[in-house]
């Protein structure tokens, strides 16, 4: 049906523009779920979300309800949240602890944490002579085809074939290295709650915004200006405003030309990195105390290397946006062609002093949470974009800013000098999209 209506999906995407149906056609969305989200490595969660045996967390991969669960052997697995008896979801709660085993709430089939069948009520009398029993894999909970983790971040792929997690991540793994290396103990720990935002727009609109370095000084200008006014008043009165004001005022003080000084790096599989940093290495006592702890853990040279990593944002296509220097992560869960759930998480640097966590929390609340004006500004744009794209007012989405000026280096596309606001990251994401959507199956 889809193939009849849309004979050649690659015609939807040109190097500098994309047809609007890519964002609005429900059939395209269904195909995206099959060919992208249910095939590639999708971020499930952090190992510290399930610290004890039996702990589970629900996660959506494409259209599939899944469970991330820790077993008694301490291994974290990912299972379909579906009872093999009559299809009931095994866990209705978003997260919890299953105890010694999973027990289905419908007819009490029980399962080990790896999904294997443990018991069926009256198994002998009920199933003797049938083809069902402990040895039939159809009676166990189906696991994700592949599960791997990198530095505590768990990914699953529902496809048997494809690159390994490390091959898939490629250079984008720096997101996790940068986040964990900034911890004196070399690892992070999840703050066990997150904001969930339901966006009334296609999932790609959110991702395309993440490395859109032109938009902050426009979309967030009013918020940035208001914060800057207050920041100046406080500075006048007390000499120094708290760093949290800078997190907001930067949206006004970092103007378009300054964003152009940053750079984007565009990698295979649609992953992209925005280099540049909002100047969060001040010389205040909290930062100096943290740097002293880091030096004790790593020595001076390595500490400088770690704190000198110049990354603002890493986008791991098609579902993750990481701001590693501030320990923030946003996971994208597409729910429908015009409905997208984002989970907004933040992390603690293990071994770092409390004020460094407070800084991450401030950024989380002030910039990424649904209660801030920054996030609200973006959400309104996303909704308006989707409305406009659903109209007959035009057929194409334009990604031509600095088109033709990207520099190719070792299989990666770098934006040219002083072109940080290039739309190269959007072009790179769409290039990956076409590859996934038209790949031979
Ligand atoms: S549906 Fe799970 S035991 Fe019947
Ligand atoms: Fe924004």
């Amino acid at each position: 049906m889809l193939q009849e209506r849309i004979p050649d999906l690659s015609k939807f995407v040109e190097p500098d523009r994309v047809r609007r149906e890519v964002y609005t056609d429900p059939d395209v969305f269904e195909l995206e779920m099959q060919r992208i989200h249910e095939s590639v490595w999708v971020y499930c969660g952090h190992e510290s979300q399930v610290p004890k045996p039996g702990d589970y967390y629900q996660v959506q991969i494409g259209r599939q309800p899944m469970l991330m669960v820790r077993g008694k052997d301490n291994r974290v697995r990912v299972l379909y949240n579906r009872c093999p008896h009559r299809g009931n979801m095994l866990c209705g709660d978003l997260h919890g602890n299953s105890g010694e085993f999973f027990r289905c709430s419908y007819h009490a089939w029980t399962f080990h944490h790896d999904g294997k069948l443990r018991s069926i009520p009256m198994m002998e009398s009920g199933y003797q002579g049938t083809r069902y029993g402990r040895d039939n894999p159809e009676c166990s909970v189906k696991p994700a085809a592949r599960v791997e983790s990198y530095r505590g971040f768990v990914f699953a792929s529902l496809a048997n074939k494809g690159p390994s997690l490390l091959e898939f991540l490629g250079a984008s793994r720096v997101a996790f290295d940068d986040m964990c290396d900034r911890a004196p103990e070399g690892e992070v720990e999840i703050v066990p709650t997150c904001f969930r935002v339901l966006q009334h727009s296609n999932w790609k609109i959110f991702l395309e915004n993440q490395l859109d370095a032109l938009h902050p000084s426009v979309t967030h200008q009013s918020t940035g200006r208001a914060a800057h006014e207050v920041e100046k008043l406080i500075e006048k009165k007390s000499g120094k405003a708290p760093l949290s004001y800078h997190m907001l005022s930067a949206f006004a003080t970092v103007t378009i030309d300054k964003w152009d000084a940053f750079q984007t790096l565009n990698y295979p599989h649609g992953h992209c990195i925005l280099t540049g940093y909002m100047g969060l290495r001040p010389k205040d006592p909290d930062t100096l105390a943290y740097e002293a702890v880091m030096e004790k853990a790593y020595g001076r040279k390595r500490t400088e290397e770690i704190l000198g990593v110049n990354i603002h944002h890493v986008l791991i296509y098609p579902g993750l946006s990481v701001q590693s220097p501030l320990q923030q992560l946003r996971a994208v869960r597409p729910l429908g062609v015009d409905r997208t759930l984002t989970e907004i998480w933040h992390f603690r640097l293990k071994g770092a002093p409390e004020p460094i966590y407070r800084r991450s929390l401030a950024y989380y609340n002030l910039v990424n949470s649904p209660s801030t004006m920054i996030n609200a500004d973006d959400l309104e744009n996303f909704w308006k974009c989707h409305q406009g794209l659903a109209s007959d007012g035009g057929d194409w989405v334009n990604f031509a800013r600095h088109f033709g000026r990207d520099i190719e280096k070792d299989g990666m596309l770098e934006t040219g000098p002083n072109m940080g606001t290039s739309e190269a990251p959007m072009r790179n994401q769409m290039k990956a999209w076409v590859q996934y959507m038209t790949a031979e199956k």
Side-chain angles (χ1 to χ4, degrees), residues 15-34:
D16 59 350
R17 64 178 191 167
V18 177
R19 287 280 305 191
R20 69 185 177 100
E21 290 88 341
V22 164
Y23 300 83
T24 58
D25 188 321
D27 288 340
V28 171
F29 177 82
E30 284 300 306
L31 209 61
E32 284 175 333
M33 293 304 100
Q34 284 171 32

Side-chain angles (χ1 to χ4, degrees), residues 45-312:
H46 192 262
E47 285 172 3
S48 59
Q49 267 170 263
V50 286
K52 295 189 300 298
D55 282 349
Y56 65 84
Y57 228 105
Q58 281 202 41
V59 59
Q60 182 93 5
I61 298 184
R63 296 156 300 181
Q64 314 300 324
M66 309 294 292
L67 288 173
M68 178 171 77
V69 56
R70 188 180 290 273
K72 285 187 194 128
D73 57 359
N74 230 9
R75 238 175 92 183
V76 176
R77 296 178 175 83
V78 178
L79 309 172
Y80 285 77
N81 188 7
R82 179 198 188 276
C83 175
H85 179 217
R86 299 251 291 271
N88 197 26
M89 276 169 74
L90 263 190
C91 299
D93 290 342
L94 186 58
H95 60 98
N97 184 283
S98 68
E100 290 292 299
F101 47 82
F102 288 114
R103 181 178 183 273
C104 181
S105 62
Y106 204 175
H107 312 96
W109 285 31
T110 64
F111 306 92
H112 299 289
H113 295 139
D114 61 3
K116 298 238 166 58
L117 179 71
R118 177 180 169 275
S119 67
I120 297 176
M122 295 170 289
M123 177 130 76
E124 284 305 306
S125 56
Y127 290 89
Q128 204 173 32
T130 74
R131 55 182 161 161
Y132 299 103
R134 202 167 271 118
D135 296 333
N136 186 337
E138 272 184 45
C139 293
S140 290
V141 184
K142 185 177 170 183
R146 293 181 296 161
V147 181
E148 284 186 36
S149 72
Y150 183 66
R151 298 199 72 165
F153 296 83
V154 180
F155 286 74
S157 164
L158 303 186
N160 280 310
K161 285 192 292 204
S164 69
L165 176 62
L166 278 187
E167 286 164 352
F168 169 78
L169 290 175
S172 73
R173 78 181 75 164
V174 73
F176 308 114
D177 289 334
D178 187 35
M179 206 192 288
C180 296
D181 289 348
R182 284 171 187 271
E185 292 178 21
E187 48 185 46
V188 294
E189 178 173 49
I190 202 148
V191 179
T193 188
C194 80
F195 288 120
R196 288 188 168 74
V197 177
L198 187 58
Q199 305 178 356
H200 295 273
S201 47
N202 186 265
W203 61 276
K204 296 185 290 300
I205 295 175
F206 172 83
L207 285 180
E208 285 156 8
N209 183 66
Q210 295 310 291
L211 265 63
D212 182 332
L214 182 63
H215 93 280
S217 42
V218 181
T219 301
H220 307 305
Q221 188 185 42
S222 57
T223 306
R225 272 194 191 158
H228 192 42
E229 288 301 311
V230 182
E231 187 181 34
K232 280 190 294 192
L233 277 180
I234 297 176
E235 272 169 2
K236 214 165 149 189
K237 270 193 204 149
S238 58
K240 182 111 192 78
L243 185 66
S244 47
Y245 283 92
H246 174 71
M247 290 173 180
L248 288 178
S249 66
F251 286 97
T253 54
V254 182
T255 48
I256 292 179
D257 50 319
K258 287 190 194 149
W259 280 104
D260 252 338
F262 297 155
Q263 195 177 36
T264 63
L265 310 172
N266 302 282
Y267 292 93
H269 302 298
H271 310 323
C272 325
I273 296 175
L274 175 68
T275 64
Y277 194 35
M278 286 167 73
L280 292 179
R281 203 180 163 191
K283 295 285 169 215
D284 63 292
D286 291 341
T287 307
L288 295 179
Y290 160 64
E291 293 193 2
V293 177
M294 286 290 282
E295 271 191 42
K296 208 165 163 204
Y298 293 108
R300 189 168 183 78
K301 187 166 169 278
R302 179 73 187 124
T303 299
E304 279 307 313
E305 273 170 20
I306 292 170
L307 300 180
V309 171
N310 182 27
I311 282 178
H312 182 58

Side-chain angles (χ1 to χ4, degrees), residues 356-378:
I356 297 304
Y357 167 65
R358 293 278 146 195
R359 177 179 302 177
S360 169
L361 179 63
Y363 192 84
Y364 182 68
N365 282 327
L366 287 171
V367 178
N368 285 336
S369 87
S371 59
T372 160
M373 286 181 287
I374 299 290
N375 190 264
D377 290 336
D378 286 325

Side-chain angles (χ1 to χ4, degrees), residues 333-394:
R333 316 286 183 200
L335 301 180
V337 71
D338 59 355
R339 269 194 329 144
T340 304
L341 178 74
T342 51
E343 297 171 6
I344 311 164
W345 295 95
H346 73 300
F347 297 81
R348 277 177 185 273
L349 298 175
K350 276 192 170 178
E354 182 68 10
I356 297 304
Y357 167 65
R358 293 278 146 195
R359 177 179 302 177
S360 169
L361 179 63
Y363 192 84
Y364 182 68
N365 282 327
L366 287 171
V367 178
N368 285 336
S369 87
S371 59
T372 160
M373 286 181 287
I374 299 290
N375 190 264
D377 290 336
D378 286 325
L379 290 174
E380 200 201 0
N381 274 350
F382 301 163
W383 175 73
K384 282 158 64 188
C385 275
H386 198 97
Q387 295 303 304
L389 292 176
S391 80
D392 294 332

